[in-house]
Amino acid sequence: MSSKIADLLKSEVSDKEIIVRGWIRTSRDNKNVVFINLNDGSTIKNIQIVADPAEFDKDLISKFCTGACLEVHGKLVQSAGSGQAVEVQASKIIILGEADPNKYPIQPKRHSLEFLREQAHLRFRTNTFSAVFRIRHTLTFAIHKYFNDKGFFNIHTPIITGSDAEGAGEMFRVTTLDLKNPPLNDENEIDFKQDFFAKETNLTVSGQLEAELGAMALGQVYTFGPTFRAENSNTSRHASEFWMIEPEVAFNDINDNQDLAEDFLKSVIKYAMDNCADDIEFLQNRELDEEKNMKKEDRHEMKLTERLDFVIDQPFVRITYTEAIRILHDSKPYKKKKFQFPVEWGVDLASEHERYLVEKKFKCPVIVCDYPAKIKAFYMRLNDDNKTVAAMDILFPGIGEIVGGSQREERLENLENKFKEFNIPEDELSWYLDTRRYGTAVHSGFGLGFERLIMFVTGMSNIRDVIPFPRTPQNAHF
């Protein structure tokens, strides 16, 4: 049985023969010795393979190229070089898969992130992306662990749905109808009654509405699944397919919701720091190296680990939307007309406003609550002022909004009024109204875009670099 490199690097020198398998990162040889840096993905660190060229066929040695896959038999010995405590003295090397050095695209040199997106099937083999995707896994585990330890139940909400939870209308249609010759009804419109589900269906933008149903029986639930937006956006923060974490909790009000979200974020980030220290250190050094050639104003004010500690160590400041507008009006950027987007009550905050509140004004994460009702979704609870809703956004440094949530509208009459205001047919969401008709109760929840969390923890600046195979406009490769 082969050993993982992560385990070998922590092991003591031994006379026992070991087997290790992995991919060559670099190799070099001379008449006296062959050195191979091997990596199997279990850690960002390579293990050095040392071989006596006199004991191996020259044709075999010539195939020790970057990208080739090897099986190495030998002993774990004390390393004579610096940088590692142990290395493998090879007695037998088998090439499991060759890599032509003239064709293999991931060579041991700096590649641009844009180039590596075109090589998404191979970019896992680079230090940067192996680190990112190990952290992605660790955060996934941390999220499930957090909610399991808190007594939440994970529920799987539909990917195919007939409702638009956000009211945005930018959804991917799901159909089996013949696009060249769809059936038409008496109004000369497409007759979706003849479609597979006998109605118009789409890929989900959120599992929230279904999660609320679970919370109103199981108490506290969460979803963790893929969501889809057909928004024609090519920004570094938007993808057409992404993952969402959405807890919903019965009997929680907006204050409980803020407490839960803050504790959740701090816990999962702390877990990643504790369990991915080598990967985070590598990504931090990579970021610092990248920033050497950048203007001072474009660099991060804090190193990656400092930004993570920044979130973990400090209580989040909580302000209302109205207070946020007042603070922005009093700010130097506003008075000097440096904000690109308008600052006025009734208009949603832009990323530049959110980052000013976090990075300049308070210098800690900020929760903004009580937004104008007209700019928020139908399901958010109307406050007593009849102008604002019990909504909340959590703002992070470098990211802006990372969490959005609210206390849900539990009063049937108010929700029915919202349906009319948003032109939502009651018969389409009668099942949602039933939870208000039968045993309604205060309840709250929030949504966290998983990729934005990964961007924050890894320091990566583009969402395309924290999801294995990004789906964006004009791009569904791999």
Side-chain angles (χ1 to χ4, degrees):
M1 184 175 178
S2 63
S3 301
K4 295 292 184 186
I5 290 175
D7 296 329
L8 289 177
L9 292 174
K10 300 174 186 175
S11 300
E12 299 291 332
V13 170
S14 172
D15 286 334
K16 182 180 177 182
E17 183 174 275
I18 59 161
I19 300 173
V20 60
R21 302 184 181 106
W23 294 267
I24 297 176
R25 288 292 174 83
T26 61
S27 67
R28 55 190 174 90
D29 63 87
N30 55 44
K31 63 180 181 180
N32 297 316
V33 66
V34 176
F35 293 108
I36 300 170
N37 279 318
L38 201 69
N39 190 282
D40 65 359
S42 62
T43 171
I44 198 163
K45 296 178 180 179
N46 306 320
I47 196 163
Q48 182 166 269
I49 310 298
V50 181
D52 183 346
E55 298 179 8
F56 294 90
D57 185 80
K58 288 184 178 180
D59 288 339
L60 180 70
I61 293 174
S62 70
K63 295 176 181 178
F64 294 162
C65 303
T66 298
C69 187
L70 304 183
E71 176 178 296
V72 179
H73 297 240
K75 292 182 179 180
L76 195 66
V77 300
Q78 186 173 351
S79 178
S82 61
Q84 66 276 322
V86 294
E87 60 190 21
V88 177
Q89 184 68 52
S91 57
K92 179 180 178 183
I93 299 177
I94 302 169
I95 296 182
L96 301 178
E98 296 182 23
D100 185 337
N102 297 314
K103 295 181 179 180
Y104 182 61
I106 311 296
Q107 290 299 314
K109 63 178 183 179
R110 181 178 292 275
H111 294 287
S112 72
L113 296 178
E114 290 80 5
F115 170 78
L116 291 172
R117 287 174 205 142
E118 298 172 359
Q119 308 292 331
H121 56 307
L122 295 172
R123 67 177 180 171
F124 294 100
R125 299 188 189 183
T126 67
N127 284 336
T128 296
F129 287 97
S130 66
V132 167
F133 293 120
R134 277 190 295 270
I135 292 171
R136 184 181 176 110
H137 158 77
T138 300
L139 285 168
T140 299
F141 179 80
I143 288 163
H144 285 298
K145 182 179 187 303
Y146 177 87
F147 285 122
N148 184 70
D149 291 350
K150 295 283 185 181
F152 280 68
F153 300 104
N154 179 226
I155 63 171
H156 298 150
T157 54
I159 291 176
I160 300 173
T161 179
S163 66
D164 179 358
E166 297 296 324
E170 294 168 328
M171 304 177 74
F172 290 101
R173 179 170 292 167
V174 176
T175 183
T176 58
L177 295 178
D178 182 352
L179 298 181
K180 292 183 178 179
N181 187 30
L184 304 178
N185 57 25
D186 294 339
E187 285 75 39
N188 207 36
E189 296 174 340
I190 295 176
D191 186 5
F192 286 102
K193 289 183 180 179
Q194 296 187 47
D195 207 348
F196 187 89
F197 294 106
K199 64 181 295 185
E200 190 171 359
T201 55
N202 307 281
L203 296 179
T204 186
V205 300
S206 170
Q208 178 205 311
L209 301 188
E210 292 87 355
E212 284 188 54
L213 312 183
M216 295 304 284
L218 299 174
Q220 46 186 24
V221 304
Y222 73 103
T223 75
F224 192 161
T227 52
F228 309 85
R229 301 278 171 92
E231 181 180 1
N232 189 15
S233 174
N234 282 291
T235 76
S236 62
R237 299 172 61 190
H238 291 88
S240 302
E241 176 186 88
F242 55 100
W243 288 69
M244 286 282 287
I245 299 97
E246 298 175 293
E248 293 288 331
V249 186
F251 316 120
N252 266 16
D253 64 17
I254 188 64
N255 294 314
D256 301 320
N257 205 34
Q258 293 175 70
D259 292 342
L260 175 65
E262 180 174 345
D263 185 64
F264 165 71
L265 287 167
K266 289 181 175 181
S267 295
V268 298
I269 292 171
K270 178 71 163 57
Y271 189 92
M273 291 190 76
D274 289 344
N275 290 275
C276 296
D278 289 341
D279 289 322
I280 290 173
E281 181 184 13
F282 170 82
L283 292 171
Q284 174 173 270
N285 291 335
R286 176 194 171 278
E287 180 180 271
L288 292 171
D289 190 50
E290 289 281 325
E291 290 183 346
K292 287 178 182 178
N293 299 319
M294 295 168 61
K295 295 178 181 178
K296 186 177 181 181
E297 59 268 24
D298 294 331
R299 301 174 191 167
H300 288 95
E301 292 187 7
M302 295 179 283
K303 294 191 295 186
L304 177 58
T305 51
E306 291 173 344
R307 299 198 298 272
L308 301 180
D309 286 331
F310 175 91
V311 167
I312 294 170
D313 295 340
Q314 301 178 76
F316 294 5
V317 166
R318 303 184 185 191
I319 60 173
T320 65
Y321 167 88
T322 301
E323 290 171 331
I325 294 296
R326 177 183 55 77
I327 291 167
L328 291 168
H329 274 160
D330 291 339
S331 70
K332 287 183 180 180
Y334 178 79
K335 291 176 179 178
K336 293 183 178 181
K337 298 183 179 180
K338 289 189 175 181
F339 285 136
Q340 180 182 354
F341 295 97
V343 178
E344 56 185 84
W345 203 97
V347 176
D348 210 355
L349 301 178
S351 179
E352 61 180 346
H353 308 141
E354 295 169 340
R355 292 186 62 181
Y356 171 81
L357 293 170
V358 174
E359 298 168 23
K360 303 297 183 183
K361 175 62 179 177
F362 293 107
K363 299 188 183 298
C364 69
V366 176
I367 306 179
V368 181
C369 61
D370 297 337
Y371 281 80
K374 291 185 178 180
I375 63 172
K376 288 297 182 181
F378 74 90
Y379 50 74
M380 297 186 176
R381 193 183 198 275
L382 187 65
N383 288 328
D384 293 341
D385 61 11
N386 289 320
K387 295 193 305 180
T388 62
V389 289
M392 68 173 208
D393 287 342
I394 299 183
L395 316 179
F396 267 21
I399 295 286
E401 179 195 339
I402 195 167
V403 162
S406 73
Q407 184 173 327
R408 313 312 190 188
E409 182 57 80
E410 87 281 7
R411 297 163 295 187
L412 178 61
E413 183 179 353
N414 283 21
L415 199 52
E416 288 174 334
N417 290 336
K418 279 295 185 77
F419 273 38
K420 293 174 183 176
E421 182 182 338
F422 283 78
N423 296 315
I424 300 171
E426 284 195 20
D427 59 341
E428 288 188 8
L429 289 176
S430 59
W431 47 269
Y432 186 72
L433 293 174
D434 275 353
T435 56
R436 277 67 174 176
R437 294 188 180 106
Y438 312 123
T440 190
V442 166
H443 60 290
S444 299
F446 61 83
L448 167 68
F450 188 40
E451 280 71 30
R452 288 205 181 174
L453 175 64
I454 302 168
M455 288 170 69
F456 180 72
V457 174
T458 61
M460 303 300 286
S461 60
N462 196 310
I463 195 170
R464 295 168 177 82
D465 298 326
V466 296
I467 191 167
F469 304 104
R471 297 291 180 250
T472 53
Q474 308 298 311
N475 176 35
H477 198 35
F478 305 106

